[in-house]
Amino acid sequence: KKGGAQASAQAEEPAEEEERAAFKDSIRTVLRNKGLWFVALCNIGMMLGMLTNIIFMPQALMSRGLTEGEAGWYAVALTAGTMLPTLISPTIVRKVGTSGTKVRWIMRGCALAGAILEVTAWLLPKGIAMILGLFATGFITEAFLPFLQSMPGYLEGIGRKYAATATGTAMTLQ
């Protein structure tokens, strides 16, 4: 039985170990990559959008005459909308991939639709229209986050060797 446990432990180890980059080399390579800086700027934009939603949406709704409690409940629709894409987007990413024309159009479409919804959804009539509008705003603005977060590993010059450092750097800069 000892031999069997050893054999199964050895079978789980990768056949060949990947070359690990030195920390200094990783940082240098990642910080020189222009694509990474673009991804980091997109992450900054996403974070600012999320903060805007969280902080200002209830106040914007109250400026329309909603009570604090009503504004809070409508803001829940927005928050619920942001949660759903995190559950289904990984499936979409697996089917569509993380590079190519489809992804670019998906991301552009989400950015444009999200911007339009950010400006208009809180102005919809109270009730189901506003709930659906705010839910859609949360959904669309967060829908391409999984694409964005997986992008550093697919950038030219990064690859598997520097993917972890690149992703960490992009997320840290936000």
Side-chain angles (χ1 to χ4, degrees):
K1 288 189 177 182
K2 283 185 180 178
Q6 256 181 345
S8 66
Q10 288 174 348
E12 292 174 13
E13 292 179 18
E16 61 180 63
E17 285 195 31
E18 291 182 25
E19 179 186 340
R20 289 186 140 191
F23 179 73
K24 187 176 177 181
D25 180 44
S26 294
I27 293 295
R28 185 179 312 132
T29 301
V30 164
L31 292 178
R32 288 182 180 168
N33 189 294
K34 290 178 185 175
L36 179 81
W37 287 99
F38 178 73
V39 170
L41 286 173
C42 290
N43 278 323
I44 290 168
M46 289 290 298
M47 181 57 70
L48 290 174
M50 284 187 267
L51 287 173
T52 300
N53 281 337
I54 293 167
I55 295 169
F56 296 114
M57 188 61 72
Q59 292 162 342
L61 293 171
M62 286 188 296
S63 75
R64 287 196 50 210
L66 276 73
T67 67
E68 192 173 333
E70 288 175 320
W73 278 109
Y74 282 108
V76 167
L78 179 75
T79 304
T82 64
M83 291 187 288
L84 188 59
T86 61
L87 300 173
I88 65 170
S89 289
T91 303
I92 296 169
V93 169
R94 270 197 310 276
K95 289 184 182 204
V96 175
T98 55
S99 63
T101 306
K102 277 185 188 177
V103 172
R104 286 188 210 117
W105 282 108
I106 289 170
M107 292 179 76
R108 287 176 186 149
C110 287
L112 180 62
I116 291 168
L117 284 167
E118 287 282 346
V119 174
T120 60
W122 69 282
L123 297 171
L124 292 170
K126 285 187 346 184
I128 194 73
M130 187 185 292
I131 290 170
L132 291 175
L134 291 171
F135 183 87
T137 301
F139 183 88
I140 293 295
T141 56
E142 299 300 313
F144 68 92
L145 192 59
F147 290 100
L148 191 60
Q149 290 177 338
S150 64
M151 219 174 254
Y154 295 96
L155 293 171
E156 188 175 325
I158 300 294
R160 289 177 57 107
K161 185 174 181 181
Y162 303 111
T165 304
T167 302
T169 301
M171 297 304 136
T172 299
L173 292 173
Q174 76 181 3

